[in-house]
Amino acid sequence: MSRQKAKNLSICALIVCAGKGTRAGMHYNKLLYQVGKKSILEMTIDRFQRSLVGSIVLVINPMDETEIQRIVNLYSNVSYCFGGSSRTESVRRGLSELGFCDIVVIHDGARPYVKTETIDESVLSAIEFGSGVTAVPTVDTIKFIKTNKVIRTLSRSGLYNIQTPQAFDFAKLQDAYDKVKGNFTDDSEVFEKAGYSAHIIGGEPSNIKVTHASDLFVPAVSNVRVGVGYDVHRLVPNRRLFLGGVLIPYDKGLLGHSDADVVLHAIMDAILSAASMPDIGQLFSDKDPRNKDISSLYLLKQVHQLITQKQCKISNISSVIIAQAPLLAPFVDKMRQTIASTLEIMPEQVSISCTTTEGLGVVGEGQAIASNASCTMIVDSNLTSKHGKR
């Protein structure tokens, strides 16, 4: 019933991102750190795009305006305002920027791994109880320490670690910020001090706040997949040689039903393996006349579309080309750029190296070229945007 009611309400979000990245050891805002092709801030925004939230206001540091403006331009429902000298003041300014809505969700921009389901649950709680504050039970032993000495050990019973998102009835939260003075580390405390009751909902341990440099490399490990692929084709006269989507000048080419690009074939199988999907032999049969002499780059695009539909995001591609001849090193950079462009990732996420077999076997005798590949990907149901322009 609350979800149905939510469709008729104005639901907004404030994403607080006015920090400086000092504790992360950076000289710029950590939210602008790129993870693949997206910044941490974009990852955070994307989580809200599939939620019940209709519009988003970013509360930013004026020093970041140029880069934030570039990000805002990617979305149709995101705007920004400048924050203040403290988190409390930044939220206060953000609330003023919103004007009025029924429910407001406040979230730390440095929590890019929040689940869309958690956002929605906080909203539904706010509709029913006036607030929905995300929290997880404290699992570590908590001690009160003074001058490096343990004074006492606290019982963990009833202790929770508070997270964001935190959703509130907008009018009540606005009233709380009007009444309560001072600086606070989260919004539920302001809400409580104004006499309102903060309703707790269950959070997720994976919803970490990126604070230190090491936190930048803590994705949801359970969502990481790895796949491998291998292919080999015979070299014959009167065929063009395609490797990694690049035409290589040579007097022979690879024999196959398609253009026989062993590099792309190995990469495609590695991608499909990581996504737990059938290999290219099953998806693009050599019995199908439509695949005769087809470009492997075209097939790679098809594979990318298939894994995107399954909410799979490529993290890294690595491939080794095994050939006695021709010399391939001069073409590696172009291969990396071509593959990255087709898969919509950065060239830095594609590694290609070349080796020989020291004259051994059919490859060493110049009769064939082989390639192996591996793919690391992240499977994430929150990757698809609802409102974004992408």
Side-chain angles (χ1 to χ4, degrees), residues 245-259:
V246 176
L247 179 61
I248 309 296
Y250 196 50
D251 60 357
K252 296 179 182 179
L254 293 170
L255 181 63
H257 189 69
S258 66
D259 62 11

Side-chain angles (χ1 to χ4, degrees), residues 112-280:
Y113 303 117
V114 62
K115 293 183 177 180
T116 296
E117 293 83 358
T118 302
I119 299 170
D120 285 351
E121 188 177 347
S122 70
V123 169
L124 297 178
S125 176
I127 293 173
E128 185 172 358
F129 302 106
S131 62
V133 178
T134 313
V136 293
T138 298
V139 296
D140 295 322
T141 297
I142 305 297
K143 295 180 181 289
F144 179 72
I145 297 174
K146 190 174 182 179
T147 62
N148 295 328
K149 292 183 180 180
V150 175
I151 305 301
R152 65 180 179 275
T153 300
L154 304 178
S155 171
R156 288 179 300 188
S157 178
L159 294 182
Y160 281 75
N161 294 333
I162 301 300
Q163 302 177 329
T164 63
Q166 297 184 14
F168 303 91
D169 177 289
F170 178 85
K172 292 180 179 179
L173 185 66
Q174 183 68 73
D175 177 63
Y177 267 92
D178 288 342
K179 288 179 177 177
V180 178
K181 306 304 178 184
N183 292 318
F184 305 91
T185 58
D186 83 318
D187 308 287
S188 63
E189 186 175 6
V190 177
F191 201 65
E192 295 159 19
K193 286 186 177 296
Y196 296 107
S197 177
H199 187 81
I200 297 297
I201 64 167
E204 294 285 339
S206 60
N207 182 21
I208 65 167
K209 184 177 181 181
V210 176
T211 304
H212 303 99
S214 58
D215 297 329
L216 296 169
F217 309 101
V218 188
V221 176
S222 61
N223 291 345
V224 175
R225 303 286 185 270
V226 177
V228 295
Y230 176 83
D231 197 30
V232 59
H233 282 270
R234 185 176 297 277
L235 280 165
V236 297
N238 303 317
R239 288 274 294 185
R240 293 190 297 173
L241 178 60
F242 287 94
L243 293 172
V246 176
L247 179 61
I248 309 296
Y250 196 50
D251 60 357
K252 296 179 182 179
L254 293 170
L255 181 63
H257 189 69
S258 66
D259 62 11
D261 188 328
V262 292
V263 179
L264 295 189
H265 289 190
I267 288 174
M268 284 189 281
D269 273 342
I271 294 170
L272 292 166
S273 171
S276 300
M277 297 180 68
D279 61 33
I280 57 173

Side-chain angles (χ1 to χ4, degrees), residues 28-96:
Y28 61 93
N29 192 331
K30 64 196 172 192
L31 300 190
L32 301 178
Y33 179 84
Q34 294 286 130
V35 180
K37 292 188 72 173
K38 292 186 178 182
S39 65
I40 289 176
L41 178 56
E42 289 170 89
M43 291 169 62
T44 303
I45 294 171
D46 285 350
R47 301 299 170 124
F48 280 79
Q49 294 300 301
R50 297 183 65 211
S51 73
L52 293 169
V53 170
S55 62
I56 299 169
V57 172
L58 309 178
V59 187
I60 73 167
N61 188 318
M63 295 177 61
D64 300 324
E65 183 177 15
T66 299
E67 185 60 23
I68 297 292
Q69 181 66 68
R70 182 194 67 78
I71 293 173
V72 167
N73 290 342
L74 298 173
Y75 301 89
S76 60
N77 63 329
V78 181
S79 59
Y80 68 87
C81 69
F82 295 141
S85 58
S86 67
R87 187 187 188 282
T88 302
E89 181 57 30
S90 291
V91 172
R92 184 173 280 112
R93 292 188 183 186
L95 292 173
S96 298

